[in-house]
Amino acid sequence: KNEVEQSPQNLTAQEGEFITINCSYSVGISALHWLQQHPGGGIVSLFMLSSGKKKHGRLIATINIQEKHSSLHITASHPRDSAVYICAVALNNAGNMLTFGGGTRLMVKP
Amino acid sequence: EAGVAQSPRYKIIEKRQSVAFWCNPISGHATLYWYQQILGQGPKLLIQFQNNGVVDDSQLPKDRFSAERLKGVDSTLKIQPAKLEDSAVYLCASSLTSRTNYEQYFGPGTRLTVT
């Protein structure tokens, strides 16, 4: 079993829809990262969080440490949000070395 | 501030050939990572450097993969000889330090195809 599981693996939405991507992990962590990867492009960090909730524009990330679960929400989705979204965790006592989930491939149709 | 640079962006080789990838991290970043990302999967750490020393290379297939960061700045990852299953994107990332809560910055990656 992977230490970091994401769901769904693939997601297709219509422009304007509210999107939720989930991440569950099975180990103690010091931080959780949400990352975005466009086709053919590198990886961009969206959020780094260790508790509570963060918001940036139309993106919201939440984490529940007790339940070992995090969600990434996209409000008013747009075709340019189409990308792979990756959850990664920094394990306790491992500094900022990351363990990655398998990613969620999102396609937003106009 | 310039980002993490990688070259080449794309490489096609035949199996059993050798290949090398180069990474130049963000200036001043002490920690450098090499990841392998197979299509449809998340990145997997191959090796982590702190300055010119190796912190973790437990998932590096040392019979065919090698990496160095001799002067603690740029780094080279080599595969010799390549196998079909090495086809992947090789990502380099850097961070200011290896301490918790310091963000990693990723390069654009090198897409390797082994035929």
Side-chain angles (χ1 to χ4, degrees):
Chain A
K1 187 180 187 299
N2 291 337
E3 291 172 316
V4 183
E5 297 277 358
Q6 286 186 238
S7 64
Q9 286 187 313
N10 296 282
L11 180 57
T12 300
Q14 287 298 131
E15 183 173 358
E17 284 185 358
F18 180 83
I19 289 165
T20 296
I21 299 170
N22 295 299
C23 175
S24 296
Y25 52 93
S26 56
V27 293
I29 68 168
S30 56
L32 183 143
H33 299 247
W34 281 103
L35 308 161
Q36 181 191 57
Q37 186 173 33
H38 281 281
I43 293 175
V44 174
S45 177
L46 298 175
F47 295 103
M48 178 172 61
L49 63 166
S50 53
S51 65
K53 174 180 172 179
K54 287 190 176 180
K55 184 176 189 292
H56 185 255
R58 295 180 295 107
L59 302 178
I60 304 166
T62 64
I63 187 168
N64 185 319
I65 296 294
Q66 286 74 29
E67 295 186 2
K68 293 186 166 60
H69 180 269
S70 175
S71 293
L72 176 68
H73 306 286
I74 305 175
T75 61
S77 59
H78 190 277
R80 65 175 175 266
D81 297 327
S82 298
V84 176
Y85 292 84
I86 302 172
C87 171
V89 299
L91 304 181
N92 281 336
N93 303 317
N96 70 349
M97 190 184 305
L98 298 178
T99 300
F100 293 80
T104 295
R105 186 174 299 276
L106 171 66
M107 179 179 295
V108 181
K109 294 183 175 180
Chain B
E1 178 184 77
V4 177
Q6 288 189 248
S7 67
R9 290 296 311 277
Y10 305 92
K11 189 75 176 178
I12 301 174
I13 62 172
E14 295 181 352
K15 60 184 179 184
R16 291 188 288 273
Q17 285 187 323
S18 301
V19 65
F21 312 128
W22 175 82
C23 172
N24 193 22
I26 292 173
S27 177
H29 279 197
T31 310
L32 185 147
Y33 308 82
W34 282 103
Y35 294 95
Q36 180 192 60
Q37 186 178 22
I38 292 171
L39 187 64
Q41 299 181 17
K44 182 185 83 170
L45 179 69
L46 293 175
I47 188 167
Q48 177 185 350
F49 290 96
Q50 181 70 17
N51 296 310
N52 61 350
V54 175
V55 174
D56 187 304
D57 64 356
S58 57
Q59 297 194 81
L60 186 74
K62 298 181 186 64
D63 57 334
R64 298 184 300 107
F65 286 64
S66 64
E68 59 183 17
R69 193 185 184 201
L70 292 175
K71 295 182 180 178
V73 181
D74 56 349
S75 176
T76 303
L77 176 69
K78 296 179 182 176
I79 307 175
Q80 179 180 6
K83 292 186 176 181
L84 295 176
E85 59 260 37
D86 298 332
S87 294
V89 175
Y90 291 84
L91 294 161
C92 179
S94 71
S95 65
L96 194 59
T97 84
S98 60
R99 291 192 214 132
T100 303
N101 295 333
Y102 278 84
E103 192 173 333
Q104 290 187 30
Y105 296 84
F106 288 82
T110 296
R111 184 176 297 276
L112 174 67
T113 302
V114 182
T115 63

